[in-house]
Amino acid sequence: KIMTPIKSLFGLLMLSTILMFCAPSSELSSNLKINSFAPSWYMGAGYSSDSTKVSYYHISQSLDSLVSRNLAKKVADVELINHIDDRLENFRTQQHDSEVWQSSEDIRELRSAVVQLIGRSEVVQSTTQNEGGSYKSYIHLSLSKRDIVDHLLAIKIFGSSLDAEGVERLYNTL
């Protein structure tokens, strides 16, 4: 399956990012439980979607505030793209035109387009707090659904095979 190498690539990217920015494991943790110090806008780690954007919330902790902030941003960005990729894969497998949507070349082109979304998310809200001698960084990233769809329509698999209704289904899939 083509999915396994792509997921492995995302996993390796995320792992290398974490290792590059993190302190020793005794000084760092990620995906911490929300406590009373969490900002009111923080909804807990995870993916969310509304009518115009997709979002990811994340929390990281380190003895260094900059490490905590960078780790939160990098992990949230990769996780956001992973969730987008999962939704696009579900969309792709539900298409009935097997010649267009199932060829290895088209699947690779789709995966490449998804990878190109890394780094395009925007920080909606972020805060880093000193809590008990360590720094916790809370972050909320988002990416416009319109930007994602416009990016995907520029590639052959989407641009040549989706009518207006298909574009709307794609938009709602995210």
Side-chain angles (χ1 to χ4, degrees), residues 47-172:
Y47 179 87
S48 68
S49 176
D50 64 27
S51 62
T52 62
K53 68 184 177 310
V54 294
S55 297
Y56 198 85
Y57 294 83
H58 189 74
I59 179 175
S60 291
Q61 179 178 354
S62 176
L63 293 176
D64 181 274
S65 63
L66 185 58
V67 169
S68 179
R69 189 175 308 121
N70 287 339
L71 179 63
K73 168 97 172 73
K74 297 285 184 184
V75 172
D77 195 38
V78 170
E79 286 296 323
L80 178 62
I81 299 306
N82 279 336
H83 284 275
I84 292 168
D85 182 60
D86 289 344
R87 281 158 179 77
L88 290 174
E89 178 60 15
N90 288 337
F91 180 83
R92 184 191 68 78
T93 59
Q94 293 174 6
Q95 303 311 303
H96 301 293
D97 185 353
S98 61
E99 181 180 312
V100 173
W101 294 94
Q102 304 302 322
S103 79
S104 296
E105 181 181 325
D106 289 334
I107 294 170
R108 276 192 300 274
E109 187 176 8
L110 173 60
R111 297 293 169 250
S112 176
V114 171
V115 169
Q116 292 170 9
L117 293 171
I118 293 174
R120 292 189 180 194
S121 62
E122 296 179 5
V123 176
V124 176
Q125 293 176 307
S126 174
T127 189
T128 300
Q129 304 170 3
N130 186 339
E131 297 179 16
S134 65
Y135 292 91
K136 289 185 182 175
S137 291
Y138 301 83
I139 195 163
H140 170 201
L141 296 182
S142 73
L143 189 55
S144 158
K145 285 184 174 184
R146 178 56 39 209
D147 289 346
I148 297 167
V149 170
D150 287 348
H151 176 72
L152 294 173
L153 289 176
I155 66 172
K156 182 181 72 168
I157 187 173
F158 282 103
S160 64
S161 56
L162 285 180
D163 57 12
E165 184 179 309
V167 170
E168 185 65 25
R169 282 193 324 271
L170 173 62
Y171 197 85
N172 292 331

